[in-house]
Amino acid sequence: MENKYVCSVDIGGTKIATAIMEYPADGSVPHPVFEAEVPTEAQEGGEAVFQRIEASIKAALEANPDVEVLGVGIGAAGVVDPKTGAIAYANEIMPGWSGVQLGPRLREDLGLPVAVVGDVQAHALGEAHWGVGKGKFSVMCLGIGTGIGGAYVENGRVMQGFHGAAGHMGHIECSAAAGIPCACGRSGHLESVASGTSIGRMYDERFGRVDPSRPSVGRDVNDLCRAGDAKATEVIHDAGFALGASLG
Ligand SMILES: [Zn+2]
């Protein structure tokens, strides 16, 4: 067996990172043999972002003419259509990104196999194959930040679900969130009580803003909690309890 090479792309709201990854024949952790990064400039819209992604991939392939790249693997912001690799849904952080035919257009233009999954799904696959989930049959991975993303890997494969939203833990029902509007437009979802954004909002509702000039964010409450503040500790406890109950 020989080492294998794949072009990997991470598409986020801030940057597009491209790499040529080497997968050693002995199964050890893959590593980049080439890396590059460009700003996403998401405000320019979905088509401009697509052009930047395609140019980044072509540049990576051209910079490594001696490497036989088997295909392109992409972890993308937004919800990915599991059947085509198109972007099924994206929020306002990436305007015009929703509906971009990412997988289909890249396959046609590059003439290579192209696999597209969500960014947290890509993270989960990495953990399941080479990280904390190595050797485990099932792995649940959560991305908790401004919002809450999630992915579920079983027997080495990420479960995407018919609409590509399997494992999106942030938008499952949570009793502690009953009646609270969610960023997705519905209400009562875990993200409304356990994301960084929600932790800031809950603190402000109960105790007033940390900095009177702006709404609090998760980091503000976290900093207070680390300093031993009882009010911040209460809010983080409640967020953690809701997260644990929903996970259970
Ligand atoms: Zn929601």
Side-chain angles (χ1 to χ4, degrees):
M1 290 247 303
E2 290 184 354
N3 294 353
K4 294 192 165 100
Y5 299 89
V6 169
C7 179
S8 294
V9 189
D10 175 37
I11 305 165
T14 311
K15 64 175 170 43
I16 298 162
T18 312
I20 303 291
M21 298 295 294
E22 182 176 54
Y23 288 72
D26 65 7
S28 57
V29 180
H31 53 270
V33 294
F34 169 87
E35 288 179 281
E37 203 176 290
V38 295
T40 307
E41 317 266 20
Q43 73 286 351
E44 288 180 14
E47 180 60 27
V49 172
F50 175 84
Q51 296 296 341
R52 217 162 279 128
I53 293 162
E54 185 167 86
S56 299
I57 295 169
K58 285 181 173 168
L61 297 175
E62 281 164 17
N64 296 272
D66 302 332
V67 171
E68 189 200 348
V69 173
L70 300 177
V72 181
I74 300 178
V79 175
V80 175
D81 181 331
K83 294 178 286 298
T84 64
I87 304 302
Y89 170 79
N91 66 16
E92 66 283 356
I93 296 168
M94 300 268 291
W97 184 235
S98 185
V100 169
Q101 296 295 307
L102 184 64
R105 287 179 63 186
L106 287 176
R107 271 179 218 116
E108 187 170 330
D109 294 353
L110 301 171
L112 282 171
V114 176
V116 189
V117 294
D119 43 13
V120 182
Q121 292 173 332
H123 182 183
L125 281 168
E127 293 291 355
H129 285 268
W130 295 285
V132 294
K134 188 170 181 180
K136 304 287 194 296
F137 179 73
S138 59
V139 176
M140 180 94 207
C141 180
L142 293 183
I144 302 176
T146 311
I148 295 183
Y152 178 60
V153 176
E154 194 168 276
N155 207 12
R157 291 187 61 193
V158 68
M159 299 290 114
Q160 292 181 284
F162 186 75
H163 295 291
H168 276 236
M169 279 285 298
H171 303 283
I172 63 169
E173 303 282 332
C174 171
S175 57
I180 302 174
C182 183
C184 71
R186 293 170 65 194
S187 72
H189 294 170
L190 176 63
E191 186 169 290
S192 309
V193 288
S195 67
T197 309
S198 306
I199 287 170
R201 191 204 69 242
M202 291 194 294
Y203 185 92
D204 290 354
E205 285 170 0
R206 293 183 198 180
F207 306 114
R209 292 177 173 183
V210 177
D211 175 349
S213 69
R214 58 168 177 83
S216 304
V217 294
R219 186 181 299 276
D220 299 321
V221 185
N222 194 43
D223 289 347
L224 283 176
C225 182
R226 281 173 180 269
D229 181 89
K231 293 181 289 190
T233 305
E234 177 193 305
V235 171
I236 291 196
H237 173 272
D238 290 354
F241 189 85
L243 177 65
S246 290
L247 264 173

